[in-house]
Amino acid sequence: MKHPILEASGLCLAYESPEGTQTQIGPLDFTLHEGESLGLIGESGAGKSTVGYEILGLLRYKGGRRVGGHLDFRGISHEDAAFIPQDPLSALDPLFSIGSQMRELGASGAKIEEVLRKVRLPLEKMSLKSYPHELSGGMRQRLVIAMALLRSPKLLIADEPTSSLDPLLQYQMMELFRELHREGMTFIFVTHQLALAASFCERLIVMHRGKVAEQGTPDQIFRSPRHPVTQQLVQSVPVMKV
Ligand code: ADP
């Protein structure tokens, strides 16, 4: 068994609105192991992204905070985690060339070349002088993954990374994640798509209204979902009739 690199125990996160109401997420208990791909699934508003932000150390910049419990890193820290957002344009500055944005992150030319090759965006196909709007949606998403890899992270938190892509690009992106995972990358894969998470993750955590409704392997979740929300998620997976 791989060793745990992240443990949440009784973790409670919250946002306060100007009107004084509070959205509370948690208490949450879960463990992430080295090299694992863990799926965080659940309906919109369940609290998945909030958990991701806290792991990245970004929650306070998003207006939230930790109000209880623990999140313990073992052998890694916030800095070892990188984020892949749903919308690549939100992560790229439209006013600067791709090359300048990558160099801004302190990367050497050799490292830039290495990560672009990894995501199948070799320099023969794409100029570093290009601007984000000059790339296709699929290329932009690959570029954001390459930028996440520049810091040689140990953990990738991918938040709905394929939601804005067509099915073929979605498949290609998942193949890229599988390759990174085979090479030892640890993943937290945030999605509302149970089938997609099940095809990639070794373990799934189903969140519902800020709490962990259920966790288990994809097999356990599909064969015997216990929580009503998991049962609905399983039922909502399309079945192909041929
Ligand atoms: P998910 O990723 O599962 O869609 P989120 O983590 O984005 O869910 O949101 C969880 C809850 O926190 C939701 O009720 C959402 O409205 C609330 N929330 C998210 N971001 C903020 C914020 N910046 N300020 C106040 N409430 C927020």
Side-chain angles (χ1 to χ4, degrees), residues 13-18 21-25 40-53 59 61-64 159-160 190-192 207-210:
L13 310 169
Y15 296 100
E16 263 139 58
S17 75
T21 53
Q22 205 188 56
T23 304
Q24 179 119 3
I25 291 154
L40 269 189
I41 55 175
E43 81 278 26
S44 199
K48 309 179 296 294
S49 301
T50 304
V51 174
Y53 294 143
L59 186 59
Y61 304 108
K62 300 275 177 186
D159 195 347
E160 304 278 2
V190 176
T191 181
H192 58 269
M207 288 189 68
H208 178 56
R209 295 188 180 162

